[in-house]
PDB file of all heavy atoms in Angstrom:
ATOM      1  N   VAL A 219     -16.954  30.306 -70.454  1.00 91.00           N
ATOM      2  CA  VAL A 219     -17.291  30.850 -69.128  1.00 91.00           C
ATOM      3  C   VAL A 219     -16.773  32.286 -69.131  1.00 91.00           C
ATOM      4  O   VAL A 219     -15.567  32.516 -69.013  1.00 91.00           O
ATOM      5  CB  VAL A 219     -16.666  30.028 -67.984  1.00 91.00           C
ATOM      6  CG1 VAL A 219     -16.937  30.692 -66.640  1.00 91.00           C
ATOM      7  CG2 VAL A 219     -17.207  28.610 -67.995  1.00 91.00           C
ATOM      8  N   PRO A 220     -17.668  33.266 -69.273  1.00 90.00           N
ATOM      9  CA  PRO A 220     -17.195  34.634 -69.531  1.00 90.00           C
ATOM     10  C   PRO A 220     -16.708  35.394 -68.308  1.00 90.00           C
ATOM     11  O   PRO A 220     -16.117  36.461 -68.457  1.00 90.00           O
ATOM     12  CB  PRO A 220     -18.436  35.314 -70.121  1.00 90.00           C
ATOM     13  CG  PRO A 220     -19.586  34.580 -69.525  1.00 90.00           C
ATOM     14  CD  PRO A 220     -19.138  33.162 -69.370  1.00 90.00           C
ATOM     15  N   ILE A 221     -16.950  34.913 -67.086  1.00 93.00           N
ATOM     16  CA  ILE A 221     -16.608  35.681 -65.882  1.00 93.00           C
ATOM     17  C   ILE A 221     -15.632  34.880 -65.028  1.00 93.00           C
ATOM     18  O   ILE A 221     -15.842  33.696 -64.765  1.00 93.00           O
ATOM     19  CB  ILE A 221     -17.868  36.011 -65.048  1.00 93.00           C
ATOM     20  CG1 ILE A 221     -18.877  36.774 -65.904  1.00 93.00           C
ATOM     21  CG2 ILE A 221     -17.498  36.841 -63.824  1.00 93.00           C
ATOM     22  CD1 ILE A 221     -20.209  36.991 -65.222  1.00 93.00           C
ATOM     23  N   LEU A 222     -14.585  35.531 -64.584  1.00 93.00           N
ATOM     24  CA  LEU A 222     -13.606  34.908 -63.705  1.00 93.00           C
ATOM     25  C   LEU A 222     -13.496  35.743 -62.428  1.00 93.00           C
ATOM     26  O   LEU A 222     -13.159  36.935 -62.488  1.00 93.00           O
ATOM     27  CB  LEU A 222     -12.241  34.823 -64.388  1.00 93.00           C
ATOM     28  CG  LEU A 222     -11.173  34.004 -63.655  1.00 93.00           C
ATOM     29  CD1 LEU A 222     -11.544  32.518 -63.674  1.00 93.00           C
ATOM     30  CD2 LEU A 222      -9.803  34.198 -64.292  1.00 93.00           C
ATOM     31  N   CYS A 223     -13.823  35.141 -61.280  1.00 94.00           N
ATOM     32  CA  CYS A 223     -13.652  35.795 -59.980  1.00 94.00           C
ATOM     33  C   CYS A 223     -12.301  35.371 -59.436  1.00 94.00           C
ATOM     34  O   CYS A 223     -12.060  34.168 -59.240  1.00 94.00           O
ATOM     35  CB  CYS A 223     -14.772  35.384 -59.023  1.00 94.00           C
ATOM     36  SG  CYS A 223     -16.414  35.861 -59.599  1.00 94.00           S
ATOM     37  N   ALA A 224     -11.425  36.323 -59.196  1.00 93.00           N
ATOM     38  CA  ALA A 224     -10.035  35.977 -58.913  1.00 93.00           C
ATOM     39  C   ALA A 224      -9.428  36.913 -57.885  1.00 93.00           C
ATOM     40  O   ALA A 224      -9.892  38.042 -57.680  1.00 93.00           O
ATOM     41  CB  ALA A 224      -9.209  36.031 -60.196  1.00 93.00           C
ATOM     42  N   THR A 225      -8.381  36.415 -57.238  1.00 90.00           N
ATOM     43  CA  THR A 225      -7.537  37.270 -56.406  1.00 90.00           C
ATOM     44  C   THR A 225      -6.421  37.826 -57.279  1.00 90.00           C
ATOM     45  O   THR A 225      -6.393  37.603 -58.498  1.00 90.00           O
ATOM     46  CB  THR A 225      -6.946  36.465 -55.242  1.00 90.00           C
ATOM     47  OG1 THR A 225      -6.100  35.427 -55.783  1.00 90.00           O
ATOM     48  CG2 THR A 225      -8.047  35.827 -54.399  1.00 90.00           C
ATOM     49  N   SER A 226      -5.473  38.511 -56.658  1.00 86.00           N
ATOM     50  CA  SER A 226      -4.363  39.079 -57.431  1.00 86.00           C
ATOM     51  C   SER A 226      -3.472  38.003 -58.040  1.00 86.00           C
ATOM     52  O   SER A 226      -2.577  38.328 -58.831  1.00 86.00           O
ATOM     53  CB  SER A 226      -3.523  39.995 -56.538  1.00 86.00           C
ATOM     54  OG  SER A 226      -3.030  39.281 -55.423  1.00 86.00           O
ATOM     55  N   ALA A 227      -3.702  36.720 -57.697  1.00 84.00           N
ATOM     56  CA  ALA A 227      -2.941  35.643 -58.329  1.00 84.00           C
ATOM     57  C   ALA A 227      -3.173  35.606 -59.827  1.00 84.00           C
ATOM     58  O   ALA A 227      -2.330  35.128 -60.584  1.00 84.00           O
ATOM     59  CB  ALA A 227      -3.334  34.296 -57.703  1.00 84.00           C
ATOM     60  N   PHE A 228      -4.340  36.109 -60.270  1.00 87.00           N
ATOM     61  CA  PHE A 228      -4.612  36.202 -61.694  1.00 87.00           C
ATOM     62  C   PHE A 228      -4.097  37.549 -62.182  1.00 87.00           C
ATOM     63  O   PHE A 228      -4.652  38.595 -61.847  1.00 87.00           O
ATOM     64  CB  PHE A 228      -6.114  36.093 -61.978  1.00 87.00           C
ATOM     65  CG  PHE A 228      -6.473  36.231 -63.436  1.00 87.00           C
ATOM     66  CD1 PHE A 228      -6.331  35.171 -64.304  1.00 87.00           C
ATOM     67  CD2 PHE A 228      -6.933  37.442 -63.939  1.00 87.00           C
ATOM     68  CE1 PHE A 228      -6.649  35.308 -65.651  1.00 87.00           C
ATOM     69  CE2 PHE A 228      -7.255  37.588 -65.276  1.00 87.00           C
ATOM     70  CZ  PHE A 228      -7.109  36.512 -66.134  1.00 87.00           C
ATOM     71  N   GLY A 229      -3.047  37.523 -62.929  1.00 74.00           N
ATOM     72  CA  GLY A 229      -2.507  38.784 -63.403  1.00 74.00           C
ATOM     73  C   GLY A 229      -1.121  38.647 -63.997  1.00 74.00           C
ATOM     74  O   GLY A 229      -0.881  39.091 -65.113  1.00 74.00           O
ATOM     75  N   MET A 230      -0.195  38.055 -63.249  1.00 61.00           N
ATOM     76  CA  MET A 230       1.183  37.976 -63.725  1.00 61.00           C
ATOM     77  C   MET A 230       1.252  37.189 -65.034  1.00 61.00           C
ATOM     78  O   MET A 230       0.858  36.032 -65.102  1.00 61.00           O
ATOM     79  CB  MET A 230       2.070  37.319 -62.662  1.00 61.00           C
ATOM     80  CG  MET A 230       2.152  38.108 -61.372  1.00 61.00           C
ATOM     81  SD  MET A 230       2.776  39.787 -61.622  1.00 61.00           S
ATOM     82  CE  MET A 230       4.463  39.417 -62.100  1.00 61.00           C
ATOM     83  N   GLY A 231       1.714  37.821 -66.092  1.00 60.00           N
ATOM     84  CA  GLY A 231       1.860  37.160 -67.380  1.00 60.00           C
ATOM     85  C   GLY A 231       0.575  37.043 -68.169  1.00 60.00           C
ATOM     86  O   GLY A 231       0.581  36.481 -69.262  1.00 60.00           O
ATOM     87  N   VAL A 232      -0.535  37.566 -67.654  1.00 69.00           N
ATOM     88  CA  VAL A 232      -1.816  37.476 -68.352  1.00 69.00           C
ATOM     89  C   VAL A 232      -1.918  38.600 -69.376  1.00 69.00           C
ATOM     90  O   VAL A 232      -1.754  39.767 -69.041  1.00 69.00           O
ATOM     91  CB  VAL A 232      -2.996  37.548 -67.355  1.00 69.00           C
ATOM     92  CG1 VAL A 232      -4.316  37.590 -68.109  1.00 69.00           C
ATOM     93  CG2 VAL A 232      -2.948  36.371 -66.406  1.00 69.00           C
ATOM     94  N   ASP A 233      -2.184  38.247 -70.615  1.00 75.00           N
ATOM     95  CA  ASP A 233      -2.307  39.254 -71.666  1.00 75.00           C
ATOM     96  C   ASP A 233      -3.404  38.805 -72.626  1.00 75.00           C
ATOM     97  O   ASP A 233      -3.144  38.454 -73.774  1.00 75.00           O
ATOM     98  CB  ASP A 233      -0.978  39.424 -72.391  1.00 75.00           C
ATOM     99  CG  ASP A 233      -0.981  40.630 -73.333  1.00 75.00           C
ATOM    100  OD1 ASP A 233      -1.916  41.439 -73.226  1.00 75.00           O
ATOM    101  OD2 ASP A 233      -0.068  40.742 -74.164  1.00 75.00           O
ATOM    102  N   LEU A 234      -4.643  38.819 -72.157  1.00 84.00           N
ATOM    103  CA  LEU A 234      -5.773  38.373 -72.959  1.00 84.00           C
ATOM    104  C   LEU A 234      -6.390  39.562 -73.681  1.00 84.00           C
ATOM    105  O   LEU A 234      -6.648  40.598 -73.063  1.00 84.00           O
ATOM    106  CB  LEU A 234      -6.827  37.701 -72.075  1.00 84.00           C
ATOM    107  CG  LEU A 234      -6.362  36.455 -71.303  1.00 84.00           C
ATOM    108  CD1 LEU A 234      -7.480  35.935 -70.435  1.00 84.00           C
ATOM    109  CD2 LEU A 234      -5.881  35.386 -72.269  1.00 84.00           C
ATOM    110  N   PRO A 235      -6.652  39.441 -74.972  1.00 85.00           N
ATOM    111  CA  PRO A 235      -7.147  40.602 -75.727  1.00 85.00           C
ATOM    112  C   PRO A 235      -8.622  40.906 -75.512  1.00 85.00           C
ATOM    113  O   PRO A 235      -9.057  42.022 -75.772  1.00 85.00           O
ATOM    114  CB  PRO A 235      -6.894  40.198 -77.178  1.00 85.00           C
ATOM    115  CG  PRO A 235      -6.951  38.700 -77.170  1.00 85.00           C
ATOM    116  CD  PRO A 235      -6.395  38.271 -75.854  1.00 85.00           C
ATOM    117  N   GLY A 236      -9.422  39.926 -75.040  1.00 85.00           N
ATOM    118  CA  GLY A 236     -10.869  40.096 -75.060  1.00 85.00           C
ATOM    119  C   GLY A 236     -11.516  40.497 -73.754  1.00 85.00           C
ATOM    120  O   GLY A 236     -12.740  40.401 -73.621  1.00 85.00           O
ATOM    121  N   ILE A 237     -10.760  40.947 -72.771  1.00 90.00           N
ATOM    122  CA  ILE A 237     -11.357  41.341 -71.492  1.00 90.00           C
ATOM    123  C   ILE A 237     -11.973  42.731 -71.649  1.00 90.00           C
ATOM    124  O   ILE A 237     -11.283  43.709 -71.903  1.00 90.00           O
ATOM    125  CB  ILE A 237     -10.316  41.330 -70.360  1.00 90.00           C
ATOM    126  CG1 ILE A 237      -9.783  39.909 -70.152  1.00 90.00           C
ATOM    127  CG2 ILE A 237     -10.919  41.869 -69.072  1.00 90.00           C
ATOM    128  CD1 ILE A 237      -8.703  39.797 -69.100  1.00 90.00           C
ATOM    129  N   ARG A 238     -13.288  42.793 -71.480  1.00 90.00           N
ATOM    130  CA  ARG A 238     -14.011  44.045 -71.710  1.00 90.00           C
ATOM    131  C   ARG A 238     -14.417  44.745 -70.419  1.00 90.00           C
ATOM    132  O   ARG A 238     -14.801  45.907 -70.444  1.00 90.00           O
ATOM    133  CB  ARG A 238     -15.286  43.781 -72.533  1.00 90.00           C
ATOM    134  CG  ARG A 238     -15.051  43.127 -73.881  1.00 90.00           C
ATOM    135  CD  ARG A 238     -15.031  44.182 -74.999  1.00 90.00           C
ATOM    136  NE  ARG A 238     -13.869  45.046 -74.967  1.00 90.00           N
ATOM    137  CZ  ARG A 238     -12.688  44.731 -75.485  1.00 90.00           C
ATOM    138  NH1 ARG A 238     -12.495  43.585 -76.076  1.00 90.00           N
ATOM    139  NH2 ARG A 238     -11.685  45.585 -75.418  1.00 90.00           N
ATOM    140  N   LEU A 239     -14.373  44.043 -69.305  1.00 91.00           N
ATOM    141  CA  LEU A 239     -14.793  44.644 -68.034  1.00 91.00           C
ATOM    142  C   LEU A 239     -13.941  44.081 -66.909  1.00 91.00           C
ATOM    143  O   LEU A 239     -13.765  42.864 -66.789  1.00 91.00           O
ATOM    144  CB  LEU A 239     -16.269  44.341 -67.771  1.00 91.00           C
ATOM    145  CG  LEU A 239     -16.848  44.792 -66.415  1.00 91.00           C
ATOM    146  CD1 LEU A 239     -16.851  46.323 -66.308  1.00 91.00           C
ATOM    147  CD2 LEU A 239     -18.261  44.245 -66.225  1.00 91.00           C
ATOM    148  N   VAL A 240     -13.386  44.971 -66.070  1.00 93.00           N
ATOM    149  CA  VAL A 240     -12.675  44.588 -64.847  1.00 93.00           C
ATOM    150  C   VAL A 240     -13.386  45.257 -63.678  1.00 93.00           C
ATOM    151  O   VAL A 240     -13.547  46.481 -63.658  1.00 93.00           O
ATOM    152  CB  VAL A 240     -11.194  45.010 -64.878  1.00 93.00           C
ATOM    153  CG1 VAL A 240     -10.552  44.814 -63.502  1.00 93.00           C
ATOM    154  CG2 VAL A 240     -10.425  44.203 -65.919  1.00 93.00           C
ATOM    155  N   VAL A 241     -13.835  44.437 -62.731  1.00 94.00           N
ATOM    156  CA  VAL A 241     -14.527  44.941 -61.546  1.00 94.00           C
ATOM    157  C   VAL A 241     -13.669  44.644 -60.320  1.00 94.00           C
ATOM    158  O   VAL A 241     -13.227  43.510 -60.136  1.00 94.00           O
ATOM    159  CB  VAL A 241     -15.916  44.285 -61.376  1.00 94.00           C
ATOM    160  CG1 VAL A 241     -16.595  44.790 -60.104  1.00 94.00           C
ATOM    161  CG2 VAL A 241     -16.791  44.563 -62.589  1.00 94.00           C
ATOM    162  N   HIS A 242     -13.432  45.650 -59.506  1.00 94.00           N
ATOM    163  CA  HIS A 242     -12.806  45.433 -58.198  1.00 94.00           C
ATOM    164  C   HIS A 242     -13.934  45.385 -57.173  1.00 94.00           C
ATOM    165  O   HIS A 242     -14.486  46.414 -56.794  1.00 94.00           O
ATOM    166  CB  HIS A 242     -11.805  46.548 -57.880  1.00 94.00           C
ATOM    167  CG  HIS A 242     -10.474  46.342 -58.535  1.00 94.00           C
ATOM    168  ND1 HIS A 242     -10.228  46.709 -59.833  1.00 94.00           N
ATOM    169  CD2 HIS A 242      -9.327  45.776 -58.070  1.00 94.00           C
ATOM    170  CE1 HIS A 242      -8.973  46.388 -60.143  1.00 94.00           C
ATOM    171  NE2 HIS A 242      -8.410  45.827 -59.093  1.00 94.00           N
ATOM    172  N   TYR A 243     -14.266  44.164 -56.764  1.00 92.00           N
ATOM    173  CA  TYR A 243     -15.388  43.961 -55.855  1.00 92.00           C
ATOM    174  C   TYR A 243     -15.072  44.507 -54.467  1.00 92.00           C
ATOM    175  O   TYR A 243     -15.962  44.926 -53.732  1.00 92.00           O
ATOM    176  CB  TYR A 243     -15.712  42.471 -55.785  1.00 92.00           C
ATOM    177  CG  TYR A 243     -16.930  42.133 -54.969  1.00 92.00           C
ATOM    178  CD1 TYR A 243     -18.207  42.376 -55.465  1.00 92.00           C
ATOM    179  CD2 TYR A 243     -16.803  41.561 -53.711  1.00 92.00           C
ATOM    180  CE1 TYR A 243     -19.331  42.065 -54.722  1.00 92.00           C
ATOM    181  CE2 TYR A 243     -17.923  41.246 -52.963  1.00 92.00           C
ATOM    182  CZ  TYR A 243     -19.186  41.497 -53.477  1.00 92.00           C
ATOM    183  OH  TYR A 243     -20.290  41.188 -52.736  1.00 92.00           O
ATOM    184  N   SER A 244     -13.792  44.510 -54.110  1.00 86.00           N
ATOM    185  CA  SER A 244     -13.340  45.122 -52.864  1.00 86.00           C
ATOM    186  C   SER A 244     -12.044  45.861 -53.153  1.00 86.00           C
ATOM    187  O   SER A 244     -11.359  45.590 -54.138  1.00 86.00           O
ATOM    188  CB  SER A 244     -13.135  44.057 -51.769  1.00 86.00           C
ATOM    189  OG  SER A 244     -12.425  42.948 -52.267  1.00 86.00           O
ATOM    190  N   ALA A 245     -11.716  46.801 -52.292  1.00 85.00           N
ATOM    191  CA  ALA A 245     -10.602  47.709 -52.570  1.00 85.00           C
ATOM    192  C   ALA A 245      -9.273  46.971 -52.618  1.00 85.00           C
ATOM    193  O   ALA A 245      -8.979  46.147 -51.750  1.00 85.00           O
ATOM    194  CB  ALA A 245     -10.546  48.800 -51.508  1.00 85.00           C
ATOM    195  N   PRO A 246      -8.446  47.253 -53.620  1.00 87.00           N
ATOM    196  CA  PRO A 246      -7.098  46.671 -53.659  1.00 87.00           C
ATOM    197  C   PRO A 246      -6.204  47.324 -52.613  1.00 87.00           C
ATOM    198  O   PRO A 246      -6.594  48.284 -51.951  1.00 87.00           O
ATOM    199  CB  PRO A 246      -6.635  46.983 -55.080  1.00 87.00           C
ATOM    200  CG  PRO A 246      -7.373  48.230 -55.442  1.00 87.00           C
ATOM    201  CD  PRO A 246      -8.705  48.139 -54.754  1.00 87.00           C
ATOM    202  N   ALA A 247      -4.984  46.825 -52.490  1.00 82.00           N
ATOM    203  CA  ALA A 247      -4.090  47.306 -51.436  1.00 82.00           C
ATOM    204  C   ALA A 247      -3.526  48.688 -51.715  1.00 82.00           C
ATOM    205  O   ALA A 247      -3.104  49.385 -50.793  1.00 82.00           O
ATOM    206  CB  ALA A 247      -2.941  46.312 -51.237  1.00 82.00           C
ATOM    207  N   SER A 248      -3.507  49.106 -52.966  1.00 83.00           N
ATOM    208  CA  SER A 248      -2.884  50.384 -53.313  1.00 83.00           C
ATOM    209  C   SER A 248      -3.358  50.815 -54.685  1.00 83.00           C
ATOM    210  O   SER A 248      -3.955  50.029 -55.438  1.00 83.00           O
ATOM    211  CB  SER A 248      -1.357  50.252 -53.319  1.00 83.00           C
ATOM    212  OG  SER A 248      -0.942  49.365 -54.348  1.00 83.00           O
ATOM    213  N   LEU A 249      -3.063  52.069 -55.020  1.00 86.00           N
ATOM    214  CA  LEU A 249      -3.385  52.554 -56.351  1.00 86.00           C
ATOM    215  C   LEU A 249      -2.521  51.862 -57.389  1.00 86.00           C
ATOM    216  O   LEU A 249      -2.962  51.621 -58.527  1.00 86.00           O
ATOM    217  CB  LEU A 249      -3.190  54.069 -56.417  1.00 86.00           C
ATOM    218  CG  LEU A 249      -3.645  54.761 -57.711  1.00 86.00           C
ATOM    219  CD1 LEU A 249      -5.111  54.453 -58.005  1.00 86.00           C
ATOM    220  CD2 LEU A 249      -3.424  56.259 -57.626  1.00 86.00           C
TER     221      LEU A 249
END
């Protein structure tokens, strides 16, 4: 399953080598 739709809960400790595209569908809280 190549696409994961996630909130900021997906991130802490994540270190996957094969992520080729990150889309912010809506604006995050800060830079």
Side-chain angles (χ1 to χ4, degrees):
V219 175
I221 303 173
L222 189 69
C223 298
T225 63
S226 58
F228 178 80
M230 297 302 293
V232 174
D233 190 13
L234 300 178
I237 297 177
R238 302 262 70 83
L239 175 66
V240 170
V241 178
H242 279 83
Y243 185 75
S244 46
S248 65
L249 187 56

